[in-house]
Amino acid sequence: MAITSRQQEGFTMPELEYMAQCETVEIVPFYRMDRLELVTGAVGPFRPPRKSEVPLWLAVMLKRTNRCRIVVPDWLTYHHLRELCKKEELPDSLFTKLPVHYIEIAHILLTNAEDDLVEPQSIRRLLQDLREVRQSKTRRGFEMLNSTQLQMDNLAAVEINEIRPLFKHSFDMLRQLDDLALATEAARNQQQQQQMFLQDSQSQQISQLDDDQLFSEMDDPYSAGGGYIR
């Protein structure tokens, strides 16, 4: 599928959240429900208190109608986020691996299932701290940008979306500078070759003149050192 110019500039947050709702989460249903046939596949049947895995959008819909409790992912707990922040703050540390839509999923769950999270306000603060630390590392990562690639592993969708416009313009500018440098170097090499050719031509002309003068003196019987023996 071709990437449009609109996509190259980035997605909006609602668009990213729409994509994130296809991710799966676990729920604990409150009622017995039959198997559901979805476009992406079947889910269920639901038998409380057994956990079931469903798309996030379905979990939110069931939560809003008070038919389930959403099981908070391990990475969204207070203790796990605190450890992630510590790791991210270490000098020269790499980006820790998180779900590609962790920001959107966290926002959706904090908005629609806050009562299912333990210490939701603390989790919000830790998520903000984590975002700021990773944004700072992203800015430092731009120092390694070259005309070939930008190597930053484990970035999330929102983080990639934030740097996409700047990266695109910076990358294009670096490519143009590289092309200009190559063109300048090629022109310099061509000029040097022309100068060397002119120098060789002049040397050959001077050498030819010297040879002609030498032969002329040898053929002249009245030149110095020449003539008949008396």
Side-chain angles (χ1 to χ4, degrees), residues 6-13 16 95 100 102-104 127-128 130-139 142 150 152 155-170:
R6 166 68 179 81
Q7 291 171 328
Q8 290 176 357
E9 292 299 323
F11 298 94
T12 64
M13 192 61 183
L16 290 170
F95 289 93
V100 68
Y102 85 92
I103 297 172
E104 305 94 300
L127 283 170
Q128 182 62 32
L130 184 63
R131 289 273 287 122
E132 291 176 356
V133 172
R134 289 171 69 95
Q135 285 175 338
S136 177
K137 291 169 71 172
T138 301
R139 287 192 291 269
F142 266 96
L150 175 62
M152 286 192 287
L155 289 182
V158 170
E159 294 164 342
I160 295 173
N161 193 64
E162 288 173 344
I163 68 172
R164 187 195 303 270
L166 178 59
F167 169 74
K168 177 181 180 297
H169 296 315
S170 301

Side-chain angles (χ1 to χ4, degrees), residues 91-109:
D92 300 324
S93 62
L94 301 177
F95 289 93
T96 52
K97 187 173 179 58
L98 283 163
V100 68
H101 290 292
Y102 85 92
I103 297 172
E104 305 94 300
I105 294 173
H107 180 259
I108 292 171
L109 292 180

Side-chain angles (χ1 to χ4, degrees), residues 148-207:
T148 304
Q149 65 175 359
L150 175 62
Q151 185 70 34
M152 286 192 287
D153 298 328
N154 298 327
L155 289 182
V158 170
E159 294 164 342
I160 295 173
N161 193 64
E162 288 173 344
I163 68 172
R164 187 195 303 270
L166 178 59
F167 169 74
K168 177 181 180 297
H169 296 315
S170 301
F171 186 76
D172 289 344
M173 185 174 294
L174 285 174
R175 290 285 298 272
Q176 292 174 5
L177 291 173
D178 279 356
D179 292 343
L180 179 60
L182 289 173
T184 303
E185 183 66 22
R188 184 182 297 112
N189 291 336
Q190 185 178 6
Q191 185 178 8
Q192 291 176 351
Q193 290 176 357
Q194 290 176 347
Q195 290 176 350
M196 292 175 61
F197 177 78
L198 290 175
Q199 291 174 356
D200 291 342
S201 299
Q202 291 174 354
S203 298
Q204 291 177 3
Q205 291 175 359
I206 294 173
S207 177

Side-chain angles (χ1 to χ4, degrees), residues 18-198:
Y18 178 80
M19 290 184 279
Q21 291 185 61
C22 294
E23 300 292 323
T24 58
V25 294
E26 286 188 326
I27 65 169
V28 176
F30 294 156
Y31 304 97
R32 293 172 63 91
M33 290 178 281
D34 295 332
R35 180 185 179 94
L36 298 177
E37 296 292 340
L38 307 176
V39 174
T40 55
V43 294
F46 303 99
R47 300 291 184 265
R50 188 171 60 189
K51 295 179 182 178
S52 298
E53 193 172 85
V54 299
L56 179 57
W57 64 266
L58 179 59
V60 171
M61 186 183 72
L62 294 174
K63 173 68 179 178
R64 287 175 177 172
T65 55
N66 199 30
R67 294 183 182 180
C68 78
R69 173 177 65 84
I70 298 178
V71 179
V72 179
D74 292 337
W75 57 266
L76 194 52
T77 61
Y78 172 80
H79 295 291
H80 190 80
L81 288 174
R82 186 175 62 180
E83 292 302 316
L84 284 179
C85 287
K86 291 180 180 179
K87 290 180 181 179
E88 293 281 358
E89 291 173 349
L90 292 175
D92 300 324
S93 62
L94 301 177
F95 289 93
T96 52
K97 187 173 179 58
L98 283 163
V100 68
H101 290 292
Y102 85 92
I103 297 172
E104 305 94 300
I105 294 173
H107 180 259
I108 292 171
L109 292 180
L110 284 167
T111 302
N112 297 279
E114 183 178 4
D115 57 324
D116 289 335
L117 282 79
V118 179
E119 300 182 81
Q121 296 305 322
S122 298
I123 288 175
R124 282 191 174 91
R125 287 194 296 271
L126 285 174
L127 283 170
Q128 182 62 32
D129 293 341
L130 184 63
R131 289 273 287 122
E132 291 176 356
V133 172
R134 289 171 69 95
Q135 285 175 338
S136 177
K137 291 169 71 172
T138 301
R139 287 192 291 269
R140 292 197 301 271
F142 266 96
E143 297 175 1
M144 299 180 290
L145 177 65
N146 56 50
S147 60
T148 304
Q149 65 175 359
L150 175 62
Q151 185 70 34
M152 286 192 287
D153 298 328
N154 298 327
L155 289 182
V158 170
E159 294 164 342
I160 295 173
N161 193 64
E162 288 173 344
I163 68 172
R164 187 195 303 270
L166 178 59
F167 169 74
K168 177 181 180 297
H169 296 315
S170 301
F171 186 76
D172 289 344
M173 185 174 294
L174 285 174
R175 290 285 298 272
Q176 292 174 5
L177 291 173
D178 279 356
D179 292 343
L180 179 60
L182 289 173
T184 303
E185 183 66 22
R188 184 182 297 112
N189 291 336
Q190 185 178 6
Q191 185 178 8
Q192 291 176 351
Q193 290 176 357
Q194 290 176 347
Q195 290 176 350
M196 292 175 61
F197 177 78
L198 290 175

